[in-house]
Amino acid sequence: MPSVLKNTKNFLIIDNKLINNIKDEYYKSEKKISRLLVHNSPDDNVQEMIICFGKSSLIFPNCSHGKSESLNILEGKMKLINFDDNGKVTKKYDMEPLGKSSNPFMYRFNKCEWHTMVAMSDIVVVHEILEGPFEAPKSENPNWIPSDQESLLRFYKEMI
């Protein structure tokens, strides 16, 4: 998969050079999103990623049903939007790195809910931690989630 960097090491140091590599992949990517898989295998009990996206990125609402998920914002500004099971927006949060503002810098779902992220700055870098192992979605998304990029863009504009 393009724009996905995979860790093969037992011990990994994440520094500015590695973050800059992830950003370079973002700029080169067709979908305007890149990620470093910090974990080694989809079977790992902890799935950890550094993800880079920006204002031209479109992230579909998603949910890892019944699993925990945490996210720390490392760079940039984003809006986290939470939904109920019927697609109604339940909460919106502006998020920025610790010390940049009084906005939250981290979230955690003990049991994941429907949510999405929208970049409010040119580039956003986040550290996401998901309960593993990775499981591909078992069913189609609910009908309230747009099925194509153009519809998703309109969906975002209505929410923001």
Side-chain angles (χ1 to χ4, degrees), residues 1 10 13 22 35 38 47 51 58 65 68 75 84 87-88 93-94 96 102 108 112 114-115 117 120 134 136 143 157:
M1 180 185 242
N10 181 54
I13 292 285
I22 299 165
R35 68 185 70 228
V38 178
Q47 305 285 302
I51 304 168
L58 295 173
H65 290 288
S68 63
E75 183 178 328
D84 67 15
K88 181 182 176 213
Y93 301 93
D94 287 328
E96 294 181 84
S102 61
R108 175 174 171 87
C112 198
W114 288 101
H115 64 285
M117 302 178 293
M120 304 307 287
F134 173 76
N143 61 6
K157 286 180 179 177

Side-chain angles (χ1 to χ4, degrees), residues 88-158:
K88 181 182 176 213
V89 173
T90 57
K91 297 222 169 120
K92 296 180 191 179
Y93 301 93
D94 287 328
M95 298 183 69
E96 294 181 84
L98 179 63
K100 293 286 183 181
S101 73
S102 61
N103 288 331
F105 64 92
M106 179 182 169
Y107 72 73
R108 175 174 171 87
F109 288 114
N110 285 310
K111 298 289 182 205
C112 198
E113 298 173 7
W114 288 101
H115 64 285
T116 193
M117 302 178 293
V118 179
M120 304 307 287
S121 58
D122 290 336
I123 198 163
V124 177
V125 180
V126 299
H127 173 216
E128 184 177 61
I129 306 161
L130 305 166
E131 182 179 345
F134 173 76
E135 295 173 8
K138 295 177 182 165
S139 60
E140 289 187 27
N141 283 331
N143 61 6
W144 59 265
I145 296 178
S147 59
D148 60 76
Q149 299 275 332
E150 193 174 304
S151 300
L152 183 60
L153 187 57
R154 284 193 305 273
F155 182 72
Y156 276 166
K157 286 180 179 177
E158 290 173 16

Side-chain angles (χ1 to χ4, degrees), residues 1-146:
M1 180 185 242
S3 304
V4 176
L5 307 169
K6 295 180 180 179
N7 173 36
T8 58
K9 299 175 182 176
N10 181 54
F11 179 76
L12 177 67
I13 292 285
I14 298 174
D15 58 12
N16 286 332
K17 183 179 177 184
L18 187 51
I19 295 293
N20 287 334
N21 286 347
I22 299 165
K23 289 181 191 178
D24 289 344
E25 289 300 316
Y26 158 79
Y27 288 115
K28 291 189 266 182
S29 76
E30 206 172 292
K31 293 184 178 182
K32 292 301 177 212
I33 191 166
S34 64
R35 68 185 70 228
L36 165 67
L37 304 180
V38 178
H39 56 283
N40 293 133
S41 164
D43 295 326
D44 289 347
N45 289 329
V46 176
Q47 305 285 302
E48 196 168 359
M49 294 160 276
I50 304 293
I51 304 168
C52 180
F53 62 100
K55 285 185 175 177
S56 56
S57 307
L58 295 173
I59 300 172
F60 285 87
N62 63 87
C63 179
S64 299
H65 290 288
K67 294 195 174 194
S68 63
E69 176 180 314
S70 296
L71 183 134
N72 295 285
I73 184 159
L74 303 176
E75 183 178 328
K77 184 176 182 178
M78 65 170 238
K79 189 173 290 289
L80 171 69
I81 303 169
N82 295 356
F83 307 91
D84 67 15
D85 287 338
N86 297 311
K88 181 182 176 213
V89 173
T90 57
K91 297 222 169 120
K92 296 180 191 179
Y93 301 93
D94 287 328
M95 298 183 69
E96 294 181 84
L98 179 63
K100 293 286 183 181
S101 73
S102 61
N103 288 331
F105 64 92
M106 179 182 169
Y107 72 73
R108 175 174 171 87
F109 288 114
N110 285 310
K111 298 289 182 205
C112 198
E113 298 173 7
W114 288 101
H115 64 285
T116 193
M117 302 178 293
V118 179
M120 304 307 287
S121 58
D122 290 336
I123 198 163
V124 177
V125 180
V126 299
H127 173 216
E128 184 177 61
I129 306 161
L130 305 166
E131 182 179 345
F134 173 76
E135 295 173 8
K138 295 177 182 165
S139 60
E140 289 187 27
N141 283 331
N143 61 6
W144 59 265
I145 296 178

